[in-house]
Amino acid sequence: MRNLKVMTAYRGTKYHGFQRQSNAVTVQETLEKHLSKVLNEPVTVTGCSRTDTGVHANNFCFNVKTNSRISCLGFQRGVNGELPDDISILSCEEASSDFHARFDCVGKEYIYKMHCSESKNPFASDLMFHYRRKFDIDAAKRAAEYLVGEHDFASFCADCTNVSTTIRTIYSFRIENCGDSVTMLVKGSGFLYNMIRIIVGTLIDVSEKRISPDDIPSILAAKNRLRAGRTAMAHGLYLNRVFYSKAELFDDE
């Protein structure tokens, strides 16, 4: 049996996250439906991560095991011909039989996009969080510096009951702006449930001076979700890259 490593991108607006659910349409369900048709056999997709309702992905990895002899290019073309316009297969390659998209992942990078203007952007209503104030980039950058490194991120987790540890490592945290757009890029070893959205919400609170940048160490030390800021809206969040080797993870550091 072959094991295919597949990269995909999707616009999460119409989906209740990646993982299959019994009562809602998800990305996984949609992929499995169309892959099974192209491969002419029922298949199960193993994703690299779960994403929330409305969250997008620029690069999302999954693996799928199949008896089909279809070429990788044929797979890409065939599946793309079946999928709806908001999901795309970016690449397909042969993987070892034991490759696992989730467990073999050594790091991930997320992007959060904000449109900071009194006027909304009609071309990005579901792709960027509309923030109607000026965003204090300098204060947010000072706060973000405290988050880089290995920390217990329990204060930035919406539900920690299903994880063995809340310790994670953030390797880099960049905040960039161009005109009315603010983009946050966070690369780490892994992320807790809603961790990025809570971090972004906390930085919004920093921008609004509800939280001081220098409060971040005490928020981390508290290990209490109530000490951190709000949870930012899902539609500004993108899984941007997933890494399967340390060299790839640190090649731009």
Side-chain angles (χ1 to χ4, degrees):
M1 179 170 282
R2 300 163 68 199
N3 191 17
L4 301 179
K5 176 184 177 183
V6 184
M7 300 302 297
T8 184
Y10 57 83
R11 184 174 187 153
T13 307
K14 297 179 180 179
Y15 301 97
H16 288 255
F18 177 80
Q19 187 159 331
R20 188 190 311 109
Q21 298 180 32
S22 60
N23 59 349
V25 178
T26 66
V27 177
Q28 181 181 21
E29 172 195 345
T30 304
L31 283 168
E32 289 175 347
K33 172 184 174 182
H34 296 291
L35 263 67
S36 295
K37 181 177 179 181
V38 172
L39 298 173
N40 198 32
E41 62 179 347
V43 295
T44 299
V45 163
T46 300
C48 64
S49 180
R50 300 180 181 184
T51 55
D52 293 340
T53 299
V55 173
H56 316 289
N58 292 326
N59 283 276
F60 184 103
C61 182
F62 69 83
N63 68 286
V64 59
K65 295 189 175 181
T66 178
N67 292 305
S68 172
R69 299 178 63 183
I70 190 172
S71 69
C72 287
L73 180 58
F75 174 94
Q76 182 178 358
R77 288 176 173 174
V79 177
N80 274 334
E82 295 290 336
L83 285 170
D85 291 341
D86 51 11
I87 305 177
S88 177
I89 301 299
L90 304 178
S91 66
C92 173
E93 61 182 274
E94 301 280 351
S96 62
S97 60
D98 61 350
F99 172 76
H100 193 287
R102 179 183 174 190
F103 297 140
D104 288 347
C105 180
V106 298
K108 298 171 185 172
E109 180 182 70
Y110 281 88
I111 286 182
Y112 196 90
K113 297 183 179 182
M114 299 171 59
H115 174 66
C116 302
S117 170
E118 182 61 37
S119 301
K120 62 185 177 182
N121 182 347
F123 305 105
S125 59
D126 62 334
L127 299 175
M128 301 175 75
F129 169 52
H130 181 201
Y131 183 66
R132 291 178 172 83
R133 306 184 186 187
K134 180 176 174 58
F135 189 75
D136 190 335
I137 295 286
D138 292 336
K141 284 182 176 180
R142 291 200 307 275
E145 288 176 1
Y146 288 112
L147 298 169
V148 176
E150 182 180 88
H151 303 286
D152 189 325
F153 284 96
S155 292
F156 296 89
C157 179
D159 181 3
C160 299
T161 57
N162 293 322
V163 294
S164 59
T165 177
T166 49
I167 295 174
R168 297 291 187 272
T169 302
I170 289 182
Y171 299 118
S172 63
F173 198 136
R174 306 201 323 262
I175 305 176
E176 305 169 349
N177 76 295
C178 180
D180 292 331
S181 297
V182 172
T183 303
M184 303 184 193
L185 300 94
V186 188
K187 185 193 293 185
S189 60
F191 298 92
L192 301 166
Y193 181 54
N194 279 352
M195 179 173 159
I196 297 294
R197 292 171 59 192
I198 296 170
I199 286 175
V200 172
T202 301
L203 295 185
I204 291 172
D205 282 348
V206 167
S207 176
E208 295 178 3
K209 298 181 172 49
R210 300 172 186 269
I211 295 174
S212 166
D214 296 326
D215 288 340
I216 300 300
S218 64
I219 292 173
L220 285 166
K223 303 177 187 177
N224 183 345
R225 170 67 187 93
L226 297 177
R227 289 289 306 278
R230 70 191 78 175
T231 302
M233 300 293 288
H235 63 269
L237 184 62
Y238 299 70
L239 176 57
N240 191 49
R241 290 189 291 175
V242 288
F243 304 96
Y244 289 95
S245 72
K246 293 291 186 181
E248 183 185 25
L249 180 62
F250 297 116
D251 68 352
D252 58 353
E253 293 301 303

